[in-house]
Amino acid sequence: MPTQIFTHIKLLAGTHGPRSFIRGKDLAILPAINDAYLIIEDDTIAEFGSMENFSGKKSDVVPDTIVLPSWCDSHSHLVFAGSREGEFIDKINGLTYAEIAEKGGGILNSANKLNDTSEDILFEQSWKRLNELSRL
């Protein structure tokens, strides 16, 4: 894939350093750069920064745009028996996975809910979600 260069991005969010692992309360911090550039090579973020540090290559200008290149839902699926959004908030607030599990959350809780929910209900919930997503 050719190199893609975007400049004059109003707000480039999620500008953590390369290979940084974010856990606990650090999940609540979303670093961002105003008036930024972003270079993508072979579907990988190669470089980003403030426009004052841009080398001046030809680019696609994207003013008044907010870009979240690192925003990634690494695990999602249509069929599930309950939301775990509250657990994400707990993680942002610094709770460990063990503490979340002690409160009744975690993957074992999700698996139990899935096992306790009938196939008909799972189908109905998923069909409803699919219809909601198709309207976006």
Side-chain angles (χ1 to χ4, degrees), residues 28-47:
I29 300 167
L30 185 62
I33 301 170
N34 293 309
D35 193 25
Y37 72 93
L38 172 66
I39 300 174
I40 300 173
E41 296 174 350
D42 297 322
D43 294 329
T44 301
I45 297 172
E47 185 180 332

Side-chain angles (χ1 to χ4, degrees), residues 6-76:
F6 304 95
T7 58
H8 297 287
I9 300 167
K10 181 177 183 176
L11 180 79
L12 178 62
T15 55
H16 298 279
R19 291 183 172 80
S20 59
F21 295 100
I22 299 130
R23 295 181 180 96
K25 292 185 180 187
D26 290 341
L27 289 167
I29 300 167
L30 185 62
I33 301 170
N34 293 309
D35 193 25
Y37 72 93
L38 172 66
I39 300 174
I40 300 173
E41 296 174 350
D42 297 322
D43 294 329
T44 301
I45 297 172
E47 185 180 332
F48 61 87
S50 173
M51 279 306 298
E52 59 192 37
N53 300 322
F54 182 64
S55 65
K57 299 172 188 170
K58 185 177 184 256
S59 69
D60 296 314
V61 177
V62 288
D64 298 324
T65 301
I66 296 174
V67 177
L68 296 120
S70 61
W71 190 270
C72 177
D73 178 359
S74 61
H75 183 106
S76 61

